[in-house]
């Protein structure tokens, strides 16, 4: 709540001599020591992964219910403190943040009351996808099996992200349609760095292209062609920059 009560940057820049009205966000943006970043990030990772913990003894692990607030805190920290954002991206711990975010997006996609959580999760991924290190980290093999309503696959974290986004677009609530542009923009941002996509995720991308390029969808709204354009840009980036390592995607394109 303290972070959200913050004036926009444009209002603060209007008067450089003005005293900051939100001291919490001011000092939050001044944190710079790596040991502090490590302490904050490790705590966030531990709390965000709490609902994903699986134990053999029932009720042996206390589940927390404030993951939405944690996502807002992480989002605003990355927004206000760019040094913290760069620290997150230069370590592989960013994948430990990615997996619980994708888990929450999958679980809440059909709940109208969780639309705000869906927006926060997508905005976080959109912020991270703007950096090259995030796209490169996604090529790490996905070994941790979190219970999600997804097809069985063997691949990397980029495949996981693609499958989750496909599930949101095809099986999500109607109120999530405004997020389609952001979701495809995330894939566009990471597409130049994707290596060795599995057959499952490649076929899901082809399915989205087929769905978004049908005449009835393109003529349903004057901006729907943007989605087909994003998908074409994704394929163009992968073919141009990662052609050798994406045989499954090339096969899916040729087969269609």
């Amino acid at each position: 709540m303290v972070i959200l009560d913050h004036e926009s940057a444009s209002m603060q820049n209007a008067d450089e001599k003005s005293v900051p009205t939100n001291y919490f966000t001011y000092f939050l943006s001044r944190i710079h020591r790596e040991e502090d970043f490590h302490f904050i990030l490790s705590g966030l990772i531990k709390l965000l992964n709490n609902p994903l913990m699986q134990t053999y003894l029932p009720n042996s692990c206390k589940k927390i219910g404030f993951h939405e607030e944690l996502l807002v805190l992480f989002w605003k920290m990355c927004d206000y403190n760019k040094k913290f954002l760069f620290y997150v991206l230069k370590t592989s711990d960013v994948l430990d943040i990615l997996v619980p975010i994708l888990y929450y997006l999958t679980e809440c996609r059909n709940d109208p009351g969780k639309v705000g959580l869906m927006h926060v999760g997508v905005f976080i991924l959109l912020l991270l996808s703007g950096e090259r290190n995030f796209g490169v980290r996604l090529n790490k093999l996905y070994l941790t099996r979190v219970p999600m309503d997804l097809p069985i696959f063997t691949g990397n974290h980029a495949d996981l992200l693609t499958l989750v986004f496909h599930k949101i677009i095809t099986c999500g609530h109607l109120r999530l349609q405004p997020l389609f542009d952001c979701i495809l923009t995330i894939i566009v941002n990471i597409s130049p760095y994707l290596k060795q996509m599995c057959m499952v995720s490649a076929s899901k991308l082809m399915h989205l292209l087929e769905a978004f390029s049908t005449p009835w969808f393109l003529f349903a709204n004057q901006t729907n062609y943007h989605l087909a354009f994003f998908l074409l840009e994704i394929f163009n980036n992968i073919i141009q920059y990662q052609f050798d390592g994406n045989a499954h995607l090339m096969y899916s394109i040729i087969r269609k």
Side-chain angles (χ1 to χ4, degrees):
M1 292 298 293
V2 177
I3 294 178
L4 294 178
D5 182 23
H6 182 60
E7 292 182 340
S8 64
S10 60
M11 294 179 63
Q12 289 188 357
N13 293 334
D15 186 3
E16 296 180 355
K17 296 182 180 180
S18 61
V19 180
T21 58
N22 192 324
Y23 287 99
F24 184 81
T25 55
Y26 173 73
F27 288 110
L28 191 68
S29 64
R30 299 293 297 272
I31 299 176
H32 61 278
R33 297 192 305 174
E34 289 204 357
E35 50 267 33
D36 295 332
F37 290 154
H38 174 74
F39 174 77
I40 295 172
L41 183 59
S42 60
L44 288 172
I45 291 173
K46 183 177 181 180
L47 292 174
L48 286 173
N49 283 275
N50 173 267
L52 280 65
M53 296 180 61
Q54 303 180 28
T55 59
Y56 292 103
L57 298 177
N59 301 321
S60 61
C61 179
K62 183 179 180 181
K63 302 294 184 180
I64 64 172
F66 50 89
H67 47 270
E68 189 168 356
E69 290 79 1
L70 289 172
L71 291 178
V72 173
L73 176 61
F74 177 75
W75 176 31
K76 290 302 180 181
M77 277 209 63
C78 292
D79 190 23
Y80 294 146
N81 195 323
K82 297 304 179 184
K83 292 182 179 179
F84 176 74
L85 175 62
F86 296 147
Y87 175 81
V88 172
L89 292 170
K90 78 176 184 179
T91 65
S92 58
D93 292 338
V94 67
L95 299 179
D96 296 327
I97 291 284
L98 172 69
V99 174
I101 291 177
L102 296 179
Y103 170 79
Y104 297 135
L105 293 180
T106 306
E107 292 297 311
C108 301
R109 69 183 187 276
N110 289 317
D111 188 353
K114 297 293 185 179
V115 174
L117 173 61
M118 298 291 295
H119 278 75
V120 173
V122 171
F123 290 159
I124 290 174
L125 298 180
L126 182 62
L127 179 65
L128 295 177
S129 69
E131 303 295 333
R132 176 183 178 275
N133 285 347
F134 180 70
V136 174
R137 296 288 181 186
L138 290 177
N139 292 308
K140 184 178 180 180
L141 193 64
Y142 175 65
L143 300 175
T144 305
R145 295 301 171 183
V146 177
M148 299 186 194
D149 183 19
L150 297 175
I152 299 175
F153 73 100
T154 301
N156 51 36
H157 286 77
D159 296 315
L160 174 65
L161 183 139
T162 303
L163 293 176
V164 169
F165 283 169
H166 177 269
K167 181 69 71 171
I168 294 173
I169 293 175
T170 57
C171 304
H173 196 270
L174 292 177
R175 294 178 61 185
L176 299 180
Q177 289 186 2
L179 286 177
F180 289 178
D181 280 355
C182 292
I183 288 175
L184 293 183
T185 300
I186 293 171
I187 305 180
V188 169
N189 290 342
I190 65 175
S191 58
Y193 315 106
L194 302 186
K195 300 178 180 179
Q196 298 180 347
M197 294 186 69
C198 69
M199 180 60 74
V200 180
S201 59
S203 62
K204 297 302 182 183
L205 282 180
M206 288 301 304
H207 176 257
L208 290 179
L209 180 61
E210 291 177 349
F212 289 153
S213 59
T214 55
W216 69 266
F217 180 81
L218 291 174
F219 292 116
N221 189 287
Q222 61 181 356
T223 60
N224 280 355
Y225 73 93
H226 289 163
L227 303 179
F229 173 79
F230 285 143
L231 284 164
L232 291 176
E233 188 172 359
I234 292 169
F235 291 128
N236 179 70
N237 288 339
I238 296 177
I239 294 173
Q240 182 176 357
Y241 298 107
Q242 302 295 341
F243 178 83
D244 294 337
N246 282 287
H248 294 306
L249 182 62
M250 302 306 118
Y251 174 76
S252 299
I253 295 174
I254 295 173
R255 188 180 60 178
K256 295 296 182 180

